[in-house]
Amino acid sequence: MSRAASILWLRRDLRRGDLPALGRAAEAADGGSVLVLFVLDPALWKGAGPVRRAWLAATLEAAREAYDGRLCLRVGDPAKVVPSVVEEVGAGSVHVSRETTPAGVRRDSAVAASLAEAGVDWVETGTPYAVGPGSITNGSGDPYKVFTPFSRAWRDHGWPAPATEPSGVTFARVASDDDGWKTLREARKADGLPDLPDAGEEAALSRWREFLDDALTAYKGDRDRADRPGTSRLSPYLKIGAVHPRTLLAELDGRTGQGAQTFETELCWREFYADVLWHNPRSSWHDLRPALSGITYEDNEDLVEAWKGGRTGYPVVDAAMRQLLTEGWMHNRMRMVTASFLTKDLHVWWPVGARHFLDHLLDGDIASNNHGWQWVAGTGTDASPYFRVFNPITQGQRFDPQGDYVRRYVPELAHIPGKAVHEPWKHDEGYDHDYPERIVDHAEERREALRRYEAARGSQSSGSSGSGSS
């Protein structure tokens, strides 16, 4: 039987560098070996869409290589598997990065309680964030509810330097479950998968350096342009922990310019939403702002399916939804546009869209995704966004001015030149290639959305509905 002095249980930290929990596990081993463990939970595996399963599979295979082939993969309920592995290898401690999502906290509490009964130490070191959720509060000791003051406090709080990898650590070789790696291989071969980016820590760092060299300087202006490769594309790696935000922030330190500042702010948004979820666990699937919980919603399956399939008749919405299906990713500006269309043009409750995104996004993170949806829907952290209704025509004209993004994903409109592609109904040949007509009239639905929000707010909304479309 293989023995291990300590266990490093990986979850959202599938890397070897800048991993404080690895250092603590090596320290606890005190010259003995460390078992690197991943538990494939059937409940979570089944709940993830094919895209996220394939991305996890690819990242785990890369992590196994990073750990010299000594990543032990077990399948089952972690509350049973982890104590069983501890007993099997004789480990005295289990080391993890602290989890902060509601499901992760419940799981870890159960595992920690079971280990405590057996006299095994449970050690949490670090989190998937530069500043752990719950660490920042205002002067009254309460959590921040609005992003801007949180971002100031986040910067003032600061974060530690990247963790140094321990030297001389020995990784235990312990057999995986027979069907574990087979399950992952099958996931990578599932039908209908998009082309995945290269997976793993090395690929994440390579992508980061490419972004630093080629796109950071222009990031502030280019990040909203759907037709340009102006974003980092690091969100899938951050979601799964192939790279830590602390690593990125350390390399931004000392860089001047609006691009670096803006990218740091975008990382802060991720940390803000994680903090909001930590303090408000129900907000993962329920309205954060109960004042708007009385909004009436529609349940029109045909309209929702048209939105999911990129057949709404609004070119930039359709291009974005098709990008999601073909790449497992969507440009951030387009996430807001498509979310606004579902919630305010089709009057559908935001969890319907949030679930669809989680089913298809490589970077499907419950805190960022679901609170981003609430921000657009008007039930989340922004002070008063209920009257903000994104105009899918002007958004396309502004952030895809020559129509290149639309033509890339909507081939039915490839024959329409320039910005005219955003209004095919004005082009003589706009519907010659089976492109659908608009399923709703945006101007009418905008008025209806504002009416519904005003009705939900009652007297609180007096005078605030005068803002226009974005």
Side-chain angles (χ1 to χ4, degrees), residues 132-377:
S135 301
I136 298 174
T137 56
N138 62 23
S140 301
D142 297 321
Y144 286 95
K145 298 179 180 180
V146 179
F147 174 73
T148 299
F150 174 88
S151 68
R152 288 194 291 264
W154 179 78
R155 287 184 169 93
D156 290 342
H157 181 281
W159 40 83
T164 302
E165 183 177 339
S167 60
V169 60
T170 300
F171 299 115
R173 186 183 296 277
V174 176
S176 299
D177 284 346
D178 292 339
D179 59 349
W181 293 107
K182 179 182 177 182
T183 297
L184 298 185
R185 288 193 296 270
E186 291 174 349
R188 296 195 63 181
K189 297 177 182 178
D191 293 336
L193 290 175
D195 292 333
L196 301 180
D198 292 339
E201 181 178 7
E202 187 175 326
L205 294 174
S206 176
R207 174 61 196 142
W208 169 237
R209 303 227 153 70
E210 181 181 345
F211 172 72
L212 287 179
D213 292 340
D214 299 339
L216 179 63
T217 301
Y219 179 71
K220 179 176 174 59
D222 282 359
R223 70 187 181 90
D224 279 329
R225 287 287 295 271
D227 59 333
R228 294 178 179 174
T231 62
S232 72
R233 291 282 190 130
L234 283 166
S235 54
Y237 299 105
L238 285 165
K239 192 278 175 201
I240 212 158
V243 67
H244 196 281
R246 180 178 49 236
T247 303
L248 311 184
L249 288 164
E251 295 201 20
L252 287 176
D253 189 32
R255 289 178 179 260
T256 58
Q258 293 183 327
Q261 295 174 9
T262 302
F263 188 82
E264 183 177 285
T265 298
E266 291 305 302
L267 290 176
C268 185
W269 270 106
R270 179 175 180 268
E271 310 245 328
F272 174 57
Y273 283 146
D275 192 74
V276 170
L277 183 59
W278 169 257
H279 290 287
N280 304 273
R282 291 189 77 255
S283 68
S284 55
W285 292 109
H286 295 83
D287 292 341
L288 182 66
R289 298 176 64 194
L292 294 176
S293 61
I295 301 171
T296 56
Y297 296 103
E298 300 295 329
D299 186 20
N300 189 316
E301 187 174 339
D302 290 340
L303 293 181
V304 172
E305 289 304 312
W307 174 81
K308 289 181 178 180
R311 301 284 294 174
T312 69
Y314 286 91
V316 81
V317 172
D318 294 339
M321 296 306 295
R322 296 186 195 187
Q323 181 184 30
L324 174 64
L325 296 178
T326 57
E327 297 180 7
W329 188 84
M330 186 192 292
H331 189 279
N332 185 62
R333 167 61 59 167
M334 296 301 108
R335 298 188 195 202
M336 293 188 285
V337 173
T338 55
S340 179
F341 190 86
L342 183 70
T343 58
K344 295 179 178 178
D345 285 65
L346 303 186
H347 315 296
V348 174
W349 194 33
W350 64 266
V352 174
R355 170 53 61 192
H356 181 70
F357 272 30
L358 286 178
D359 284 344
H360 292 279
L361 284 171
L362 293 172
D363 61 6
D365 176 88
I366 194 149
S368 294
N369 180 70
N370 291 26
H371 288 110
W373 269 89
Q374 290 212 54
W375 184 90
V376 173

